[in-house]
Amino acid sequence: ARYSAVFLREFIEYLARETDAERIHIVGYSAGTRLVATALHQLALASGHRDAAETRRSLRLGNVILVGSDVDRGIFGTYMLDGLLDVQERITIYESPKDKALGIALFTFRNERVGQLDPDDLTAEAKSFLLRSDALSLVSVADAPDFDHGNGHSYFRDSPWVSTDLLATLRYRLRPADRGLVQDAASGIWEFPPDYLERVEAAIFAADPELARPAAEARAADRPSE
C-alpha cells in the first residue's frame, strides 16, 4: 500500500488536471485505506503552500470514505497534523466495535486501528473537534442491522443501512445530519437512529424529486382500495 500510494496520488492529480470531473470521490476499504490515507497525506504535503480552499478547488476531491480502516491511529493523527483534512471536502470514517479482522490486526501489531474506535478512547479535545467539524465525520455502525455479520468486517455490504448511507453520501453528497444520522452530544460520533430508514428515504426524495414520484405512485398502487 505504501509503495502504491504515489501512483494513486498521481492518478488523482491527473484526473483533476486533465478531466472535467466536477468531484472526485474515493472509497477505501480495509488495508486499502492505508493506500488512500498515504496518498492524501502526500497531497497534503505537496499542497502545504496553499490554503485549504485553494487546495480543494484545485484537486476537486469531494467525499473520501474509509470503511473497516486498517490504519494505525497514531499515524493517521500525524497525517491530520500535516493538513490531511484540507485536501478534500469531507472524510467519513465508519467505525465498528465488532470488526474481528481489525481485532486480529490490533492483537498482532499492538496498535489501535482507525476503523475500530471506542468513544472512551477519545480525548475531550477530540470530542470537541468532532462536534464542530464538517471536514471529518466518524460514523458508528453499532446500531445498524447485520453490522456484525460473519467476521464483522464487510458491514458496508452486509448491512443495508450502512450501504444505503454510503451511497447517499456519494450520490447526493449529503452530510450526516442531512441523511438521517444522529450525532452523540457527548462524543461527537454519528449514529444510526431506530427510524433511520424513514429519515434517509425522506432525505433522498428531497434531494431527488424524480425518484420520489415513481415511489409515491408505487405506494398508491399497492394501497388497498376502499
Side-chain angles (χ1 to χ4, degrees):
R2 286 192 294 269
Y3 172 81
S4 300
V6 65
F7 304 115
L8 176 58
R9 187 202 77 210
E10 291 178 345
F11 181 54
I12 293 169
E13 292 172 330
Y14 167 81
L15 291 175
R17 184 179 64 250
E18 302 293 342
T19 76
D20 59 358
E22 294 181 11
R23 286 293 182 276
I24 302 166
H25 304 300
I26 303 173
V27 180
Y29 170 57
S30 193
T33 62
R34 299 185 189 182
L35 169 64
V36 173
T38 305
L40 296 178
H41 181 231
Q42 292 178 7
L43 288 169
L45 294 177
S47 304
H49 61 288
R50 301 183 293 196
D51 62 28
E54 184 181 356
T55 298
R56 291 168 182 162
R57 187 166 52 251
S58 173
L59 294 174
R60 281 176 282 157
L61 285 175
N63 282 290
V64 173
I65 299 176
L66 305 182
V67 183
S69 181
D70 185 21
V71 175
D72 179 285
R73 283 190 212 163
I75 292 176
F76 193 80
T78 63
Y79 289 174
M80 290 178 59
L81 290 175
D82 280 337
L84 179 71
L85 297 184
D86 295 338
V87 173
Q88 62 286 303
E89 290 180 356
R90 185 174 302 105
I91 290 184
T92 301
I93 302 176
Y94 288 95
E95 307 279 351
S96 173
K98 293 188 177 181
D99 190 324
K100 296 177 182 176
L102 295 187
I104 292 174
L106 171 61
F107 177 80
T108 303
F109 299 107
R110 302 298 180 183
N111 292 320
E112 302 286 351
R113 321 315 285 174
V114 167
Q116 196 171 50
L117 182 67
D118 188 311
D120 293 336
D121 296 338
L122 295 170
T123 64
E125 292 79 7
K127 294 175 182 178
S128 176
F129 175 78
L130 290 174
L131 285 168
R132 67 177 189 274
S133 176
D134 189 49
L136 175 64
S137 301
L138 302 186
V139 178
S140 170
V141 301
D143 295 319
D146 297 323
F147 83 97
D148 56 351
H149 180 76
N151 67 358
H153 193 53
S154 57
Y155 50 81
F156 75 102
R157 291 195 307 260
D158 296 329
S159 173
W161 287 23
V162 178
S163 58
T164 296
D165 194 67
L166 192 153
L167 291 172
T169 303
L170 294 176
R171 176 65 180 85
Y172 301 108
R173 295 171 60 194
L174 297 174
R175 289 174 167 83
D178 297 334
R179 60 181 191 264
L181 298 181
V182 175
Q183 191 173 37
D184 180 73
S187 67
I189 295 176
W190 293 91
E191 301 172 341
F192 287 87
D195 61 343
Y196 170 74
L197 288 183
E198 290 79 6
R199 286 168 170 259
V200 73
E201 179 184 72
I204 291 174
F205 286 169
D208 191 348
E210 291 299 319
L211 184 64
R213 186 161 36 254
E217 293 172 353
R219 285 178 176 169
D222 290 340
R223 190 177 300 125
S225 57
E226 296 181 357

